[in-house]
Amino acid sequence: MKVAIIGVTGYSGLELVRLLKNHPKVEIVSLHSHSQNNQDISNVYPHLKRIIDLTLEEINLKKIMATADLVFFATPSGISKDLAADFSENNFPMIDLSGDFRLKEIGAYEKWYQKEPASPAILSKAEYGLADLNSEYSSNFIANPGCYATCALLSLAPLVQEKWIDPDSIIIDGKSGLSGAGKNLSVAAHFEEAHDNMSLYKMNSHQHIPEIVQQLKSWDKSIPAIQFSTSLIPVSRGIFMTSYLKAKRKLTTSQVHQLYQSFYQNKPFIRLQAENQFPSIKQVVGSNYCDIGVAFNEATNVITVVSVLDNLVKGAAGQAIQNLNHLMKIPEITGLDFVPVYP
């Protein structure tokens, strides 16, 4: 399959390049950027020298549809919603890594992203692509989930779908590395602020909150809301997420572990830790894995779920390629079965 990448100079776009370069069924035919054009991408990013020999091009929708079979949007939110119209009219396959097509409720995108939404006609064609739980799509237009949303939903899916928890008891504490904020500079991302520090941001206002709730409600309509917080930690990549949920009945850690083991036994990118063991960010960096550990506290009747993933791979580019594999009807591990970078 020949693919084009729009927004290739961002972190997620560059990660798409890194991963797709070695995908046996894919050829990257064009790279597109708003800000940097008419120069070889290796001049802008020297780490790609002698690896990718492509020139950054302007975004020409007709040319992309003439030369490629599918387009990835790795753009900031607010851009793909406008570019997608022509592709949609021609039923051209798209995978969007931004948040422009994830939220279906009227008014939700404006509230959480503070931008004008995509047209309802185009939005209705986009299918939410949580790749580890969806393998069959009715559309060729996939809205790739956000990084925090991916980690949260994979953490909670077994408990929510099996209705083991009180629906109003969900508390999620997510911590992310600096690459999760993208390339735009901010005070919090300065070395002096981020190094040897941890800071909370977007309290009760993170744009992934409605995305998480939307999917949880599709599994259990009785869930009213979630408590969700996000913090910045001084690492380049990775999400470390701890979720706390009140069980409906008395359980044991073994029972919770067995539930997750059964639920994810045929999911190649979900790795359940042994009982009483919990994952660390280092064990998933550079990979498409999401590693999960669980525990149950008999004194408080609380289930704790600890999950880690690489926000640029499983939380963005890797999951997008997993969705590409689903669309191509090939094994989902194709081009993604590589070892994490360690140490």
Side-chain angles (χ1 to χ4, degrees):
M1 177 175 278
K2 296 180 179 181
V3 303
I5 303 172
I6 296 178
V8 70
T9 57
Y11 290 142
S12 295
L14 289 169
E15 199 69 354
L16 279 170
V17 171
R18 182 178 77 89
L19 303 180
L20 289 170
K21 176 64 174 66
N22 295 311
H23 194 295
K25 301 291 186 181
V26 172
E27 177 189 0
I28 304 172
V29 294
S30 62
L31 304 174
H32 305 268
S33 170
H34 273 291
S35 57
Q36 303 175 71
N37 291 308
N38 303 316
Q39 54 183 321
D40 194 284
I41 191 170
S42 65
N43 290 336
V44 183
Y45 294 100
H47 71 286
L48 296 175
K49 191 173 183 65
R50 296 185 182 177
I51 298 173
I52 299 291
D53 184 25
L54 287 172
T55 300
L56 292 169
E57 302 178 28
E58 294 179 347
I59 301 171
N60 185 321
L61 305 187
K62 290 184 178 180
K63 183 177 179 182
I64 291 172
M65 285 188 278
T67 57
D69 302 312
L70 177 143
V71 62
F72 288 99
F73 290 108
T75 52
S77 295
I79 295 176
S80 61
K81 66 182 177 62
D82 297 322
L83 296 176
D86 285 346
F87 292 115
S88 180
E89 288 177 6
N90 289 275
N91 198 34
F92 192 82
M94 296 178 278
I95 298 178
D96 179 37
L97 280 70
S98 81
D100 284 3
F101 297 96
R102 296 172 188 159
L103 303 182
K104 302 299 185 180
E105 183 181 346
I106 295 174
Y109 184 83
E110 296 98 315
K111 175 182 176 180
W112 293 92
Y113 286 84
Q114 292 83 51
K115 296 181 174 72
E116 287 296 314
S119 73
I122 301 175
L123 185 61
S124 66
K125 295 181 180 180
E127 193 165 352
Y128 191 68
L130 189 61
D132 293 281
L133 300 184
N134 299 327
S135 59
E136 298 289 335
Y137 293 117
S138 58
S139 171
N140 62 3
F141 181 11
I142 306 300
N144 216 57
C147 53
Y148 277 124
T150 298
C151 200
L153 293 170
L154 293 177
S155 298
L156 305 184
L159 295 169
V160 173
Q161 291 193 26
E162 296 300 321
K163 296 181 171 55
W164 278 27
I165 59 168
D166 288 338
D168 62 350
S169 71
I170 300 173
I171 299 174
I172 304 170
D173 177 28
K175 303 174 180 67
S176 176
L178 275 74
S179 61
K183 291 175 62 179
N184 291 333
L185 293 177
S186 67
V187 172
H190 285 188
F191 178 83
E192 293 85 350
E193 297 289 336
H195 175 66
D196 201 26
N197 195 13
M198 173 177 158
S199 58
L200 189 144
Y201 68 102
K202 292 187 177 180
M203 185 64 183
N204 297 326
S205 63
H206 197 283
Q207 66 272 19
H208 291 178
I209 292 174
E211 179 183 343
I212 296 168
V213 173
Q214 175 179 269
Q215 186 60 39
L216 291 178
K217 282 181 174 291
S218 76
W219 296 333
D220 183 353
K221 293 181 180 179
S222 67
I223 292 176
I226 61 172
Q227 182 60 47
F228 181 78
S229 62
T230 52
S231 299
L232 192 65
I233 54 176
V235 299
S236 295
R237 293 169 176 253
I239 287 176
F240 187 99
M241 183 171 285
T242 311
S243 302
Y244 307 94
L245 314 104
K246 204 82 169 178
K248 284 184 175 180
R249 58 185 175 87
K250 288 294 181 182
L251 297 167
T252 65
T253 294
S254 292
Q255 287 175 310
V256 178
H257 189 271
Q258 289 167 10
L259 170 66
Y260 276 74
Q261 194 168 48
S262 174
F263 192 90
Y264 284 126
Q265 63 180 342
N266 296 318
K267 305 299 182 181
F269 291 117
I270 311 299
R271 302 190 300 187
L272 183 63
Q273 308 297 280
E275 281 190 43
N276 299 312
Q277 291 186 10
F278 302 93
S280 67
I281 287 176
K282 271 289 186 185
Q283 67 192 55
V284 295
V285 169
S287 81
N288 198 49
Y289 292 109
C290 176
D291 288 1
I292 300 174
V294 298
F296 180 73
N297 187 333
E298 295 181 6
T300 60
N301 211 40
V302 169
I303 300 167
T304 301
V305 184
V306 179
S307 304
V308 296
L309 55 75
D310 185 319
N311 55 289
L312 294 180
V313 189
K314 170 56 77 181
Q319 182 163 210
I321 294 169
Q322 201 175 342
N323 278 322
L324 171 73
N325 292 341
H326 288 324
L327 291 178
M328 293 176 67
K329 306 296 184 184
I330 62 176
E332 62 184 306
I333 65 170
T334 307
L336 294 169
D337 57 339
F338 41 80
V339 177
V341 177
Y342 189 90

